[in-house]
Amino acid sequence: MNYTLNVKGQLMSLAQPKVMGILNVTPDSFYAASRVQAESDIARRAEQIVEEGGTFIDVGACSTRPGSTPVSQETEMERLRLALGIIQRMQPTAVVSVDTFRPDVARMAVEEYGADIINDVSGGDDDMLRMVSRLGVAYVLTSVKPTLEESLLFFATQVQRLRDMGHKDVILDPGFGFGKTLAQNYSLMERLEQLQVMDLPLLVGVSRKSMIYKLLDVAPEGALNGTTALNMVALMKGAAILRVHDVREAAECVKLMAALNNKVEP
């Protein structure tokens, strides 16, 4: 499917899937190696994402891992201002996504730093939907529902609300790891292609999550192979964006998938 997003006033094609690299400015992300807080580390991570083939840099400043306690809005904003300022200086052409569930944080990121995408794992309450519609940026709508059927109903309802508000660019995230058992995560992955009925781009984020490391009986640090395997499955089932810690490996999956689809010379 040749989806497009309006990014920085231009249409970006998603005909070939893109990679979204994770940049966590938190001390408590579930995957320790993804945490960066020093200015030099933030700059280095942003550069790494771009160099390894990432199209989007997804900046998170408030951990949403299961069981975590969210930091205050003020702390989240402080962390984001540091990271977004560095990215703006060091990677001025990067497409920046901000991972937040707070409307005022979304407003700050877009109005002060020109963030291009709001990645909201909350599922979109009324205030957030109104905010992203006013800001006019691409919006990642996440389902925390446990089954495909419930996710489809949720997406249909929320997307219609966004359309009624005049919002155009919506990306659907089925929410692997959010509100789902291990079995439900894999059931959803097995039927992922059915979400294409929504005619909207799909973002898949399974990178080093518990659905992989618990099943394989490893730590998150040992879950790269499982992540790569599921990323390839997701691409085969229509994912347009892979949100990952390991950008190079995901970009290689995209390249291999293009060869399988005869879009590049093998």
Side-chain angles (χ1 to χ4, degrees):
M1 303 292 286
N2 189 13
Y3 300 115
T4 59
L5 291 178
N6 188 331
V7 176
K8 301 183 188 300
Q10 296 185 333
L11 288 181
M12 172 187 287
S13 172
L14 299 179
Q16 178 159 315
K18 310 298 184 188
V19 176
M20 176 181 283
I22 298 168
L23 194 162
N24 283 321
V25 282
T26 61
D28 56 347
S29 173
F30 76 91
Y31 177 43
S34 72
R35 306 169 191 163
V36 291
Q37 293 180 281
E39 292 189 22
S40 59
D41 292 336
I42 293 168
R44 190 177 303 114
R45 175 58 178 163
E47 181 181 27
Q48 179 188 32
I49 289 171
V50 173
E51 286 185 347
E52 292 187 357
T55 299
F56 309 107
I57 300 175
D58 189 51
V59 187
C62 177
S63 179
T64 54
R65 62 180 173 80
S68 64
T69 300
V71 297
S72 69
Q73 179 168 289
E74 292 71 22
T75 297
E76 184 181 7
M77 283 186 173
E78 181 181 352
R79 292 173 177 174
L80 278 174
R81 284 190 170 104
L82 172 65
L84 294 174
I86 293 169
I87 294 168
Q88 196 174 62
R89 292 194 304 272
M90 304 302 293
Q91 301 293 334
T93 62
V95 181
V96 177
S97 167
V98 170
D99 184 350
T100 186
F101 57 89
R102 291 171 166 140
D104 286 339
V105 174
R107 178 193 53 75
M108 179 276 292
V110 174
E111 292 184 350
E112 295 183 21
Y113 294 93
D116 304 290
I117 301 170
I118 296 300
N119 182 9
D120 175 19
V121 300
S122 75
D125 62 17
D126 291 346
D127 290 340
M128 180 61 93
L129 296 187
R130 283 192 290 267
M131 180 60 74
V132 294
S133 296
R134 181 170 74 80
L135 295 170
V137 294
Y139 177 59
V140 180
L141 174 66
T142 304
S143 171
V144 298
K145 304 297 184 183
T147 67
L148 176 76
E149 290 76 14
E150 290 172 283
S151 290
L152 278 169
L153 181 60
F154 168 80
F155 283 143
T157 300
Q158 296 295 79
V159 169
Q160 186 58 55
R161 294 177 64 203
L162 285 162
R163 297 292 188 237
D164 291 343
M165 295 176 188
H167 196 74
K168 295 180 180 178
D169 290 307
V170 182
I171 302 162
L172 303 182
D173 180 349
F176 290 102
F178 291 96
K180 300 167 184 65
T181 65
L182 190 69
Q184 287 168 338
N185 279 307
Y186 283 96
S187 176
L188 181 58
M189 179 65 78
E190 195 273 330
R191 302 171 65 194
L192 187 67
E193 71 278 3
Q194 295 182 36
L195 288 176
Q196 292 187 49
V197 71
M198 294 296 302
D199 197 27
L200 289 169
L202 298 179
L203 180 152
V204 171
V206 296
S207 185
R208 296 182 182 267
K209 286 186 174 179
S210 63
M211 66 178 285
I212 298 171
Y213 67 76
K214 287 184 178 179
L215 184 69
L216 300 179
D217 194 24
V218 296
E221 289 74 14
L224 174 56
N225 188 53
T227 297
T228 299
L230 288 188
N231 278 340
M232 200 65 180
V233 172
L235 290 172
M236 295 177 72
K237 290 178 175 289
I241 301 171
L242 297 177
R243 180 181 181 271
V244 299
H245 299 95
D246 308 281
V247 174
R248 186 185 306 280
E249 291 80 358
E252 288 175 352
C253 285
V254 170
K255 188 173 182 179
L256 292 169
M257 190 66 192
L260 287 172
N261 290 333
N262 298 314
K263 291 182 180 178
V264 297
E265 290 295 326

